[in-house]
Amino acid sequence: MENNKRVLLAIVLCLGVLIAWQYFFPKNALIQKAQPGQQQTQQADAQNAAKPTAKPDATMASAEPLAGTPITITTPLYTATLLNTGGVLQHFSLSKYKLSLDKDSPNMDLVSGQAASKAPMGLIVNGQATWRDAKWTTDAKDTSLEPGKSTTLTFTGTLGGLTIKRELTFHADKYEIDEAVTLVSQTAQVSRVAFTLAAGSLTGGEANYNPTRAAYMDKSLEEITSLDKIKDGKVVDAGGKWAAVESNYFISALVPSGTAVLKLQHVEDVTRLAAEKDGISLAAGQPVKVENSYYLGPKERATLATAPNDLKAALNYGMFHILAEACLWLLHFLYGYVHNYGVSIILLTVFIKLCFWPLSQKSYKSMEKMRKLQPMMAAIREKHGDDREKMNAELMQLYKTYKVNPAGGCLPIVVQIPVFFGLYQALLNSIELRHASFITHLPFTNMTWLADLSAKDPYYITPLIMGATMFLQQKMSPPPGDPTQAKVMLFMPVIFTFMFLNFPSGLVVYWLVNNVLSIAQQGLLMKGSAVQTAKKA
């Protein structure tokens, strides 16, 4: 019965990991992360469901810009290309981030060709796409910004009796683009202005655990991983702080100034965003200014922390956010000394192992006691094999007499699961670890290996070694008495190895090193126990 419990507990733990995995990292689900609590989120869902479903926005869908002369803004952080026909964006190439690990890889461009055809950063006034319907003039020209500098491009358009002046301000040291729109009407009227943005895939071919998704900040952060769910549009009433297209590492966001209605729509593999301000009263000849900001760039913690409207909330590590933040802080601290994130992960593992050392020690002592009790347990089973109730009673009495907890060996694993998930989120969502290398080439070869700790081991070497260490750990533990149960237990390393095959290699390194340290700790304990036994003999 004791062995049954241990097998059952081990299986439950594995299932728990699998279920938790599906729960925390669903691939095709609308993920809702509400800081105030799940109940409030459900209430918000119910309220949203009661509202009319947004209809496709014809203006957003038919948005191809007219041909125009490109204007390039170059800063130390990015190169932006706009058209003189209304200031729509055509490219936004990040200088510090490559698309892939290839030496000849281009820089990460947050505006794909498909997205450019939907006129990102186009302005809609009274339902009209100004980049197509207005007549624009500009004296803007190619500009290169030195650190600390800013520049403002001005586009002036006429749309019926309305004069529109767009002022787009680019900063050399920030990924934000600020916009001020001044409207002047020949007659009194009430106008509506919508700032827009568009983005395709932001994953750069590394999408296994890094899907492109839509997000917005209302009362809490909402992420939409299944973009098909917003083909018909999603409307967030006034009060939304920002809307974005994001991956684990990059984000293109609309950040309106003041209240605005946020709209999201996924059409033809492009997600379009709009921040709409309505009820703008225009007196004849009197200018009225409306403002907005865009953020196109990496999800750097320090950078997002200075962005307006709580854009830093886009850095969400889920339920174990605090643990992930703590792991990241420690990783960056260690990296400051060793300048290698792989080595930092190993040092972090040693630190965590030391923190859990007393707990593990207690667990291993319990397991060692169980090992010594094996002959007595076998005798009880043989004696009461047909009377399970009596056998269980004697086994329980045996545990009580020798003060052994059969489940004690599993406790360290259970305690470390939150740390595991926190570190997983930290490794998978930290832009600093994207393309961070550990050992760039397989020893004695020119084969690229562990060159990106946020990606899987391309040759599955580390997960296989990790599985072998789990098997060794299992062999060092007290064996189940029943041969069938022993075979079942043998599958546990196989299951875990399979699960880890596609995990970020940084996470596998963590688990592998943790296993090695655990084996060493357990070996030391067993050796000490053997010495004591010999002395007593």
Side-chain angles (χ1 to χ4, degrees):
M1 184 62 184
E2 180 271 336
N3 284 326
N4 285 333
K5 285 183 177 179
R6 296 190 65 207
V7 172
L8 181 61
L9 184 56
I11 293 174
V12 168
L13 282 173
C14 285
L15 290 176
V17 171
L18 290 172
I19 293 170
W21 184 264
Q22 295 297 324
Y23 178 79
F24 293 118
F25 314 115
K27 290 184 178 179
N28 296 304
L30 175 63
I31 303 175
Q32 298 184 341
K33 301 169 180 138
Q35 294 178 355
Q38 185 177 3
Q39 186 176 0
Q40 291 181 344
T41 302
Q42 291 172 344
Q43 291 173 351
D45 287 346
Q47 292 172 359
N48 289 335
K51 295 173 183 174
T53 303
K55 299 297 182 184
D57 190 320
T59 304
M60 291 176 68
S62 57
E64 188 172 354
L66 299 175
T69 302
I71 302 167
T72 301
I73 306 298
T74 304
T75 78
L77 299 178
Y78 60 83
T79 298
T81 304
L82 303 91
L83 293 179
N84 66 343
T85 50
V88 294
L89 196 61
Q90 293 297 282
H91 294 286
F92 198 88
S93 178
L94 303 178
S95 304
K96 295 183 178 179
Y97 297 95
K98 297 285 187 180
L99 181 64
S100 69
L101 286 173
D102 294 339
K103 291 182 179 178
D104 300 328
S105 173
N107 291 337
M108 188 74 190
D109 191 345
L110 299 187
V111 180
S112 63
Q114 283 179 307
S117 69
K118 300 300 181 185
M121 282 179 53
L123 188 71
I124 299 174
V125 176
N126 296 331
Q128 292 182 274
T130 62
W131 59 92
R132 297 186 64 90
D133 298 334
K135 294 182 179 178
W136 292 96
T137 60
T138 181
D139 58 358
K141 57 185 180 182
D142 294 349
T143 304
S144 182
L145 293 178
E146 298 295 327
K149 302 294 184 181
S150 298
T151 188
T152 299
L153 307 185
T154 301
F155 300 84
T156 302
T158 56
L159 184 68
L162 199 63
T163 299
I164 307 166
K165 184 170 77 172
R166 298 189 71 186
E167 295 174 291
L168 294 167
T169 301
F170 297 81
H171 309 277
D173 303 320
K174 296 194 296 184
Y175 293 98
E176 293 170 44
I177 303 170
D178 299 319
E179 176 169 9
V181 172
T182 303
L183 303 174
V184 182
S185 176
Q186 295 177 1
T187 59
Q189 62 172 289
V190 177
S191 289
R192 177 163 50 96
V193 172
F195 302 91
T196 73
L197 204 54
S201 172
L202 298 182
T203 57
E206 47 189 23
N208 283 343
Y209 290 94
N210 182 21
T212 296
R213 50 199 183 268
Y216 60 91
M217 186 70 181
D218 191 8
K219 294 178 181 177
S220 61
L221 174 65
E222 307 284 346
E223 288 187 316
I224 304 168
T225 54
S226 180
L227 294 174
D228 286 344
K229 291 188 175 181
I230 55 172
K231 277 187 175 179
D232 293 332
K234 172 74 179 178
V235 175
V236 183
D237 284 344
K241 294 182 177 180
W242 52 262
V245 181
E246 64 173 3
S247 65
N248 291 1
Y249 309 114
F250 303 102
I251 184 170
S252 296
L254 268 176
V255 188
S257 177
T259 59
V261 174
L262 302 178
K263 293 184 177 180
L264 304 90
Q265 187 178 24
H266 186 71
V267 179
E268 299 173 356
D269 296 326
V270 175
T271 303
R272 297 215 66 209
L273 312 170
E276 186 175 278
K277 294 175 177 287
D278 57 10
I280 302 171
S281 297
L282 301 176
Q286 297 298 315
V288 173
K289 184 178 288 187
V290 185
E291 296 179 322
N292 179 73
S293 291
Y294 307 87
Y295 182 98
L296 296 96
K299 294 170 78 171
E300 296 174 346
R301 288 193 299 169
T303 305
L304 291 177
T306 62
N309 283 17
D310 198 21
L311 188 59
K312 65 180 180 183
L315 281 174
N316 190 307
Y317 302 122
M319 179 178 291
F320 303 108
H321 185 90
I322 294 177
L323 288 173
E325 288 276 12
C327 289
L328 275 177
W329 181 88
L330 194 52
L331 273 178
H332 295 323
F333 175 79
L334 296 170
Y335 180 81
Y337 291 93
V338 298
H339 306 294
N340 182 300
Y341 275 111
V343 177
S344 301
I345 289 172
I346 292 174
L347 294 176
L348 173 68
T349 310
V350 173
F351 176 79
I352 293 175
K353 188 64 183 175
L354 289 175
C355 291
F356 287 108
W357 188 276
L359 187 62
S360 300
Q361 193 74 357
K362 187 175 181 180
S363 167
Y364 294 144
K365 286 182 178 178
S366 177
M367 292 169 64
E368 192 59 23
K369 288 182 180 177
M370 287 291 296
R371 181 191 300 278
K372 293 176 180 177
L373 294 182
Q374 288 295 316
M376 287 184 276
M377 293 166 60
I380 292 174
R381 290 193 190 95
E382 185 176 357
K383 181 179 178 182
H384 302 294
D386 297 330
D387 190 345
R388 301 188 70 82
E389 186 175 345
K390 199 166 184 177
M391 179 181 72
N392 292 335
E394 287 203 21
L395 285 172
M396 291 303 295
Q397 184 59 43
L398 185 68
Y399 299 149
K400 189 176 179 180
T401 301
Y402 289 91
K403 299 179 180 178
V404 174
N405 181 2
C410 299
L411 188 57
I413 298 177
V414 175
V415 173
Q416 290 186 63
I417 284 178
V419 179
F420 170 81
F421 281 116
L423 185 61
Y424 172 85
Q425 289 289 355
L427 292 174
L428 202 61
N429 293 283
S430 175
I431 185 73
E432 293 85 354
L433 294 179
R434 179 182 182 265
H435 295 173
S437 64
F438 178 25
I439 303 172
T440 55
H441 292 86
L442 202 59
F444 311 112
T445 74
N446 60 355
M447 300 164 66
T448 303
W449 185 57
L450 302 185
D452 183 359
L453 288 168
S454 67
K456 68 178 183 180
D457 183 336
Y459 307 112
Y460 306 111
I461 295 173
T462 48
L464 291 176
I465 297 176
M466 189 276 305
T469 58
M470 288 195 72
F471 178 77
L472 181 57
Q473 271 186 295
Q474 196 176 82
K475 298 299 289 183
M476 293 173 70
S477 301
D482 184 81
T484 304
Q485 293 170 356
K487 290 179 181 177
V488 172
M489 290 299 291
L490 286 176
F491 277 102
M492 304 307 291
V494 176
I495 293 172
F496 271 82
T497 302
F498 180 78
M499 288 172 56
F500 275 67
L501 285 179
N502 292 311
F503 275 13
S505 54
L507 192 68
V508 181
V509 168
Y510 162 77
W511 204 259
L512 169 59
V513 174
N514 182 69
N515 283 355
V516 171
L517 294 175
S518 298
I519 290 171
Q521 184 181 10
Q522 192 170 352
L524 287 174
L525 183 66
M526 292 172 65
K527 185 177 179 181
S529 178
V531 170
Q532 288 182 359
T533 303
K535 287 181 178 178
K536 289 179 180 177

